[in-house]
Amino acid sequence: MTEQNQSAEAPASRIVIVMPTYNERQNVESIAGRVRAALPAADLLVVDDNSPDGTGDLADKLAEADPHVHVIHRTEKAGLGKAYIAGFGWALERGYDVIVEMDADGSHQPEHLPSLVAALDYADLSIGSRWIPAGQVVNWPKSRQALSRGANIYTRIMLGLGVRDATAGFRAYRAATLRTISLDQVESTGYCFQIDLTLRVADAGLRIVEVPITFVERERGASKMSNRIIAEAFWRVAQWGVTRRLRRRN
């Protein structure tokens, strides 16, 4: 486990897992069941972006059967970042103390949830990391591994972060952390949303730890990664890096 920045107080106990979905009907029920088994006292919030395959309808049925499951229906597919911002806002309004984000496609193993949440005993943000010792990637082609490793190296160089997996989307925040980092000013919509929030937490002087996870490539459904998402991340990181350097000079 690696860490960055200052110490933190012990977290409180109300936990919600925020899980955005778009065309994940094949996965959402099994992942929801594993989440509920891994953290039985926690709640699960599905944020569905009007999936045409009926994911939202299936999530509603899960919520009817289990009071720990909740659903937000959004009217359009507006990007991962916007979905998470909606989910975080819902959780903060309802007084949750720990807010977890994870994918619905099976790449994030719900069995890692207890260790990810436990890391908040001494951190403000814990990141499920593929690229620290004991972290693993299963069934990813070499090209995707190279892309992810390269993106994180680029991010560390441009932004001066000590985090090894700033692009990771499996992470747990203290509610106080999200209240500190001005979520209303976040404009990132794709996967660079994760880098954006990591940078904001670091710049706030809060403590970040990385917890090793096993990342498993999805078995069902299609990946949401695209050249547009990659380009957005590249240019935003470049802009943030230049801004930080200019700020230091001044």
Side-chain angles (χ1 to χ4, degrees):
M1 185 180 294
T2 62
E3 63 184 60
Q4 177 175 319
N5 293 339
Q6 299 175 359
S7 62
E9 299 174 359
S13 58
R14 287 196 70 214
I15 303 167
V16 62
I17 295 91
V18 178
M19 192 167 70
T21 56
Y22 184 77
N23 285 351
E24 295 291 355
R25 185 178 179 87
Q26 293 177 298
N27 298 307
V28 67
E29 186 171 10
S30 63
I31 296 300
R34 290 168 62 190
V35 167
R36 295 288 295 114
L39 286 177
D43 287 345
L44 171 64
L45 174 65
V46 177
V47 183
D48 187 66
D49 275 5
N50 197 26
S51 297
D53 74 343
T55 301
D57 293 337
L58 179 55
D60 283 338
K61 292 178 181 177
L62 297 176
E64 290 172 5
D66 184 346
H68 285 277
V69 178
H70 309 273
V71 186
I72 292 177
H73 293 279
R74 286 156 45 83
T75 57
E76 61 180 351
K77 189 175 186 293
L80 187 70
K82 299 295 185 184
Y84 272 126
I85 293 295
F88 292 167
W90 182 96
L92 291 172
E93 288 174 0
R94 286 158 178 78
Y96 286 94
D97 305 295
V98 172
I99 301 170
V100 181
E101 60 170 90
M102 67 177 291
D103 291 346
D105 61 9
S107 59
H108 297 153
Q109 305 296 288
E111 293 73 23
H112 290 304
L113 284 168
S115 60
L116 202 62
V117 170
L120 293 182
D121 285 351
Y122 46 89
D124 302 287
L125 162 62
S126 63
I127 297 175
S129 179
R130 299 159 289 188
W131 307 126
I132 62 172
Q136 300 181 63
V137 172
V138 177
N139 295 334
W140 243 14
K142 295 294 184 182
S143 59
R144 283 295 300 272
Q145 292 192 44
L147 176 63
S148 179
R149 286 184 180 274
N152 278 288
I153 292 170
Y154 171 70
T155 297
R156 289 201 302 276
I157 292 172
M158 291 299 295
L159 303 182
L161 291 175
V163 176
R164 304 288 296 182
D165 199 351
T167 63
F170 195 16
R171 48 178 68 193
Y173 295 90
R174 292 168 174 271
T177 302
L178 293 178
R179 290 192 176 96
T180 298
I181 61 174
S182 303
L183 288 174
D184 60 326
Q185 298 177 16
V186 175
E187 297 181 352
S188 308
T189 59
Y191 283 85
C192 68
F193 172 80
Q194 312 298 356
I195 303 172
D196 193 342
L197 264 61
T198 305
L199 182 60
R200 289 169 182 269
V201 173
D203 284 349
L206 302 175
R207 191 178 187 188
I208 301 170
V209 300
E210 295 186 80
V211 178
I213 64 164
T214 298
F215 179 96
V216 180
E217 173 66 331
R218 66 158 65 234
E219 295 180 356
R220 295 174 291 186
S223 172
K224 311 301 188 299
M225 183 63 70
S226 68
N227 289 335
R228 183 188 62 78
I229 289 172
I230 295 170
E232 182 200 16
F234 179 88
W235 287 112
R236 283 194 181 273
V237 169
Q239 290 169 346
W240 294 331
V242 170
T243 299
R244 286 165 72 83
R245 283 168 171 76
L246 291 175
R247 192 179 299 150
R248 287 177 189 140
R249 286 184 182 180
N250 294 333

